[in-house]
Amino acid sequence: MASVFVNVAGAPEDVIFALTSSYKADTDSRKVNLGVGAYRTEEGKPWVLPVVKKADHILVNDDNLDHEYLPILGLESFRKASAKLILGADSKAIAEGRVGAAQCISGTGAVFTGAQFLSRHYPIKGASCYISRPTWANHRAIFEGVGIPVKEYPYWNAETKGLDLTGMLATMESAPSGSIFLIHPCAHNPTGVDPTPDQWKQIADVMERKGHFTFFDCAYQGFASGSLDKDAYSVRYFVERGFEMFVAQSFSKNFGLYGERAGNLTIVTKTSEVKNKIESQIAKAQRAVISNPPAYGSRLVSLVLNDEKLHSEWEQNLSSMANRIIDMRQVLFDELTRLGTPGKWNHIVDQIGMFSFTGLKQPQVKVLKEKYHVYLTDNGRISMAGLNSKNVKYFAAAVDDVVRNH
């Protein structure tokens, strides 16, 4: 008897995970993995932050801890500390009691939780969510998965290798009033291009005038520039302007807790009454999906964020990661300049965060993979964290070849 699922079509592999599998299967000693969005040390190894090791030790030796369920909305000390981290300790919105939070399964879960709520409770039925072109692939999948139509706004200017502010603002102006805009507050993935403070003002002006809903996805606070406050500028500016918003937060990158899935959805509303209603609906929905979130990652983050000495050490760890990536940007730029590689490469140092959008074309990427065993996504995005002093010159020489000859 045939399976009842015999007609189910197979889904394609996830691009990033497939790329990692290809890299691992490659036996060439020169291979370089610039695909995965995870920090690597100068030796090309994963890094457990020293402050995380300390927090691990504290938790393991705490006889008062147990393995009981967390509340449906998660660990309260984690939720409050997460909101304070992104909004600022002196946030007027927090002081006025109109900020809520829900612990989620990392940043992905936070985006899903917010999207699911909007699909059920956003008052403008049929409103589309606008995502940047390009963006993280999961954004489209998540919003379409909950039934929200997805459209795009221009973001990357291929000619200048910078922000297409004109196209972005024009789409915001032409979009129906009350549309949902998903925005990267810092370290845009995949381009590494962020608006300036003046450009953020222009974006906020249009968003306010059109009554659009702001949904920030913040996966790299502190990891981009090395400054927690600088990387939160756009979010705090929008809050000061009086916007209601959702902010998805991930602690995968800035704590190195990739596998612990520690995330938070911060909710900023007009009143505490509205905040309470939103939290109650999110709790109801979360109960039906995960029942309650996992404890260990949130306990680690909460411990560090709520301890002055550990928090200070964490900021030093963050600075170390951010500065190594900034250094690699400079080394790569200098090497391409030394080689006289055709084209302008200043965008390598102008961009920020884990990723760089190189401007390489798909046929050139194909040659990099097949000839040089360098693994990156077909759109030319590279993870700067995969570069180090041992492979950066090799990569630059490979880029020089494909730009000249392919």
Side-chain angles (χ1 to χ4, degrees):
M1 184 176 176
S3 168
V4 295
F5 301 113
V6 68
N7 292 321
V8 174
E13 276 191 283
D14 180 88
V15 173
I16 299 299
F17 283 87
L19 196 67
T20 301
S21 296
S22 297
Y23 168 79
K24 289 181 177 178
D26 192 333
T27 57
D28 194 286
S29 61
R30 301 168 298 172
K31 66 180 182 178
V32 181
N33 185 6
L34 302 180
V36 67
Y39 181 78
R40 294 293 180 261
T41 64
E42 168 64 18
E43 292 71 38
K45 303 292 184 183
W47 191 43
V48 179
L49 274 60
V51 73
V52 169
K53 286 185 177 181
K54 284 187 179 179
D56 261 324
H57 182 77
I58 293 169
L59 289 181
V60 167
N61 290 281
D62 186 349
D63 293 333
N64 293 316
L65 282 185
D66 53 42
H67 295 284
E68 294 294 297
Y69 294 122
L70 291 184
I72 297 172
L73 287 178
L75 187 67
E76 185 175 10
S77 60
F78 167 81
R79 294 163 51 213
K80 288 184 175 180
S82 297
K84 186 170 78 170
L85 182 72
I86 190 65
L87 300 182
D90 59 350
S91 170
K92 184 179 178 182
I94 291 177
E96 292 173 350
R98 49 190 183 87
V99 173
Q103 183 186 335
C104 303
I105 308 297
S106 200
T108 306
V111 174
F112 169 79
T113 299
Q116 183 186 59
F117 174 87
L118 292 173
S119 73
R120 296 174 178 177
H121 303 286
Y122 195 58
I124 303 175
K125 300 305 177 185
S128 296
C129 176
Y130 286 75
I131 60 176
S132 65
R133 184 173 65 245
T135 191
W136 181 50
N138 247 359
H139 284 153
R140 176 177 290 276
I142 290 169
F143 279 87
E144 288 184 342
V146 298
I148 294 178
V150 173
K151 297 181 180 178
E152 296 180 337
Y153 58 88
Y155 194 87
W156 169 255
N157 185 319
E159 290 187 13
T160 65
K161 295 182 174 62
L163 178 66
D164 182 2
L165 181 66
T166 301
M168 183 180 183
L169 294 178
T171 300
M172 288 179 167
E173 287 279 14
S174 63
S177 296
S179 295
I180 301 161
F181 274 80
L182 191 140
I183 303 173
H184 304 233
C186 67
H188 182 273
N189 177 7
T191 70
V193 174
D194 289 348
T196 64
D198 180 67
Q199 289 170 335
W200 278 121
K201 180 183 183 302
Q202 295 178 62
I203 293 167
D205 286 345
V206 179
M207 291 285 290
E208 184 177 57
R209 184 165 61 250
K210 294 288 294 187
H212 296 323
F213 183 77
T214 306
F215 196 139
F216 281 115
D217 183 10
C218 185
Y220 299 96
Q221 187 184 359
F223 192 97
S225 67
S227 166
L228 292 163
D229 293 331
K230 185 176 180 180
D231 291 349
Y233 170 82
S234 57
V235 175
R236 295 176 187 178
Y237 176 69
F238 271 59
V239 173
E240 287 174 8
R241 291 276 298 256
F243 284 86
E244 291 188 297
M245 68 182 69
F246 287 169
V247 187
Q249 296 168 265
S250 168
F251 294 98
S252 293
K253 309 298 193 299
N254 55 15
F255 267 83
L257 294 174
Y258 304 96
E260 301 299 339
R261 314 312 292 146
N264 186 69
L265 180 68
T266 290
I267 302 151
V268 182
T269 65
K270 295 289 188 183
T271 68
S272 60
E273 182 183 12
V274 171
K275 179 264 293 185
N276 292 336
K277 290 178 179 179
I278 293 174
E279 281 190 334
S280 71
Q281 289 293 345
I282 287 177
K284 179 183 176 183
Q286 184 139 293
R287 173 66 170 150
V289 178
I290 63 169
S291 194
N292 40 35
Y296 196 70
S298 62
R299 283 173 172 167
L300 282 171
V301 174
S302 177
L303 179 59
V304 173
L305 294 185
N306 288 296
D307 183 284
E308 188 176 341
K309 289 184 178 179
L310 292 177
H311 195 290
S312 177
E313 183 174 348
W314 175 53
E315 291 189 74
Q316 293 172 24
N317 293 170
L318 272 174
S319 181
S320 175
M321 290 190 289
N323 288 337
R324 197 188 84 74
I325 288 176
I326 291 169
D327 289 345
M328 282 300 103
R329 287 185 180 278
Q330 189 65 53
V331 173
L332 176 59
F333 171 76
D334 290 345
E335 188 63 15
L336 291 170
T337 302
R338 186 188 71 79
L339 292 169
T341 306
K344 294 180 66 176
W345 296 96
N346 58 290
H347 58 284
I348 297 292
V349 289
D350 291 341
Q351 294 166 4
I352 193 170
M354 180 171 286
F355 300 111
S356 177
F357 220 45
T358 61
L360 294 170
K361 309 301 183 187
Q362 190 168 347
Q364 296 170 326
V365 171
K366 187 172 186 289
V367 176
L368 285 173
K369 291 178 185 175
E370 295 177 354
K371 181 178 179 179
Y372 291 101
H373 306 270
V374 175
Y375 292 85
L376 64 157
T377 55
D378 287 344
N379 61 8
R381 186 202 79 171
I382 61 172
S383 173
M384 295 302 302
L387 292 176
N388 55 59
S389 61
K390 301 177 184 65
N391 63 25
V392 65
K393 289 186 177 181
Y394 173 74
F395 174 64
V399 170
D400 184 74
D401 174 44
V402 301
V403 171
R404 293 180 188 276
N405 302 309
H406 301 277

